[in-house]
Amino acid sequence: MSVMPVVRFAALAALTGLTATLACAQISIPTVLVGNAGNPADPATGFGAVPYLYRITTTEITCGQYVAFLNAKARSDPNGLFNTEMAGQFGNIIRRGSPGSYTYEVDFNRDDTPINHITFWSACRFANWLHNGQGNGDTETGVYTLTPARIAANTVTRNAGWRWAVVSENEWYKAAYYQPAAQGGDVDGYWRYPTSSNALPSMSQANFGRGAFDPCVDPFPLAPARSYAPNFYGAFDLGGNLSEWNETAVGADTRCHRGGSFIRSGDSLRADQREGISPNIDSYAHGFRLAQAVLPPTCPADIVSIGGSPSPDGLVTGDDFNAFIAAFAAADGLADIVSIGGTPPGDGLITGDDFNAFIGSFAAGCP
């Protein structure tokens, strides 16, 4: 990639302080792209067809990520985002202080352990918070409109224009089991287990089957994120560790759970196994992960999602700024956003036109 460094250095210097302020307010939520849009459903179960590209969190949401959420939105905690069991035998989070000044921290250096004791509604609020830009972003509107009546009736659904959401059953199923035959998958494109196999995985491949564990010998049976090999799309622990909330309703009063958990047998990891659980349940064996929308670029400054994944998310933050500056300095194609003269898209050259277009767009923000 060629570089022609004609840039507004004054603009760069002026924005450096702003970048630091923006970046420190954000937490990273790594995601992987789930491609093959428009894939067919699994002929054995009818699940897994997704007509669009999307991203899925690389791991289950972790304690470190959830603590950042609590410290931002649960100083008083009227919505019960913190469960006192999170500080129990199978928990990892300590709460200190009194209502209005609560603070939270991860215990035992388990930042990378998946968060458990989560209701479906807490997972929805976490998604709303991300959708609304983190920080002081609202938890009751955005992806989901969480009114008391809709929560009580279990009628909450994903709103249009979502950026982050609790993964749907089809999104989860595809990420867990789908692999086109032409790309090394099973003949019908679907595996039976989320370890890219039709055979029951061993306990060295996933964290399951520990229902008879001795709490004196094995006091904390959850495994840190990324303890096992990733699957075809690069996601971890879609089988075992924690059973994961899916957004999809199963009957009138429950939401879907998939993937088994550390305490369940290997059969619970199979593609034909699904559960419907009350959205108010918050077990030590339950966690969640999110889907992230893949949005078309809306402005030149929106080049990465929060956390730095190279996918626009409709927000202009310090992550976009930092990613662009690094790409521009390294002559990376991520910085090639306009052609000479300032007309999008890029032209294979990284020039001052790219820099100036980015700075102007960053200052204006996304519409």
Side-chain angles (χ1 to χ4, degrees):
M1 186 72 67
S2 300
V3 182
M4 297 173 61
V6 180
V7 299
R8 293 178 183 169
F9 289 106
L12 170 60
L15 285 169
T16 301
L18 175 60
T19 303
T21 301
L22 289 169
C24 70
Q26 308 297 326
I27 60 169
S28 175
I29 309 287
T31 61
V32 292
L33 179 68
V34 181
N36 312 108
N39 63 297
D42 185 343
T45 65
F47 294 109
V50 182
Y52 47 85
L53 293 174
Y54 64 100
R55 303 183 72 88
I56 193 169
T57 50
T58 307
T59 68
E60 295 155 324
I61 297 303
T62 66
C63 290
Q65 293 163 343
Y66 198 77
V67 156
F69 173 53
L70 291 173
N71 280 320
K73 299 301 298 182
R75 297 293 177 143
S76 296
D77 200 21
N79 293 315
L81 301 175
F82 176 77
N83 181 336
T84 55
E85 292 298 319
M86 291 177 180
Q89 179 183 359
F90 301 126
N92 300 282
I93 296 177
I94 297 172
R95 180 166 73 182
R96 304 187 190 281
S98 56
S101 59
Y102 285 137
T103 62
Y104 304 84
E105 62 186 74
V106 179
D107 203 6
F108 303 115
N109 296 315
R110 289 175 176 155
D111 293 73
D112 289 334
T113 300
I115 185 67
N116 54 3
H117 295 290
I118 293 292
T119 67
F120 175 71
W121 306 120
S122 290
C124 289
R125 289 183 164 107
F126 186 89
N128 274 345
W129 180 66
L130 290 183
H131 173 93
N132 290 318
Q134 301 188 33
N136 198 37
D138 188 32
T139 62
E140 306 308 293
T141 60
V143 189
Y144 306 103
T145 304
L146 300 175
T147 65
R150 296 184 74 186
I151 289 174
N154 192 30
T155 57
V156 174
T157 56
R158 186 185 302 186
N159 294 329
W162 64 278
R163 296 182 181 130
W164 294 88
V166 179
V167 66
S168 73
E169 185 171 19
N170 281 328
E171 289 165 347
W172 192 98
Y173 192 102
K174 177 178 178 176
Y177 303 112
Y178 185 65
Q179 183 175 352
Q183 295 177 257
D186 196 20
V187 63
D188 65 356
Y190 283 89
W191 297 109
R192 196 177 191 193
Y193 291 93
T195 49
S196 301
S197 173
N198 288 327
L200 179 69
S202 69
M203 292 182 68
S204 67
Q205 295 175 292
N207 186 19
F208 67 94
R210 298 167 73 175
F213 69 92
D214 182 345
C216 296
V217 176
D218 188 14
F220 193 79
L222 281 175
R226 302 178 182 83
S227 292
Y228 304 89
N231 74 350
F232 170 64
Y233 284 116
F236 294 81
D237 292 327
L238 283 156
N241 229 15
L242 292 176
S243 179
E244 299 178 20
W245 286 111
N246 288 186
E247 174 189 77
T248 304
V250 180
D253 301 319
T254 61
R255 298 281 173 157
C256 184
H257 256 257
R258 279 199 174 264
S261 69
F262 71 89
I263 204 169
R264 300 288 299 279
S265 71
D267 287 344
S268 67
L269 279 61
R270 290 199 320 253
D272 61 352
Q273 297 298 300
R274 66 197 294 250
E275 292 184 273
I277 299 176
S278 166
N280 300 306
I281 295 294
D282 50 11
S283 163
Y284 61 81
H286 295 167
F288 72 108
R289 76 177 70 214
L290 302 179
Q292 182 187 25
V294 175
L295 303 176
T298 56
C299 67
D302 183 21
I303 59 174
V304 297
S305 61
I306 289 175
S309 300
S311 172
D313 61 359
L315 300 172
V316 176
T317 71
D319 289 313
D320 295 293
F321 187 92
N322 293 337
F324 177 82
I325 295 303
F328 189 88
D332 187 292
L334 191 64
D336 181 25
I337 58 177
V338 296
S339 61
I340 289 177
T343 304
D347 57 2
L349 299 172
I350 298 176
T351 72
D353 289 312
D354 295 296
F355 189 92
N356 293 338
F358 177 84
I359 293 300
S361 181
F362 186 89
C366 279

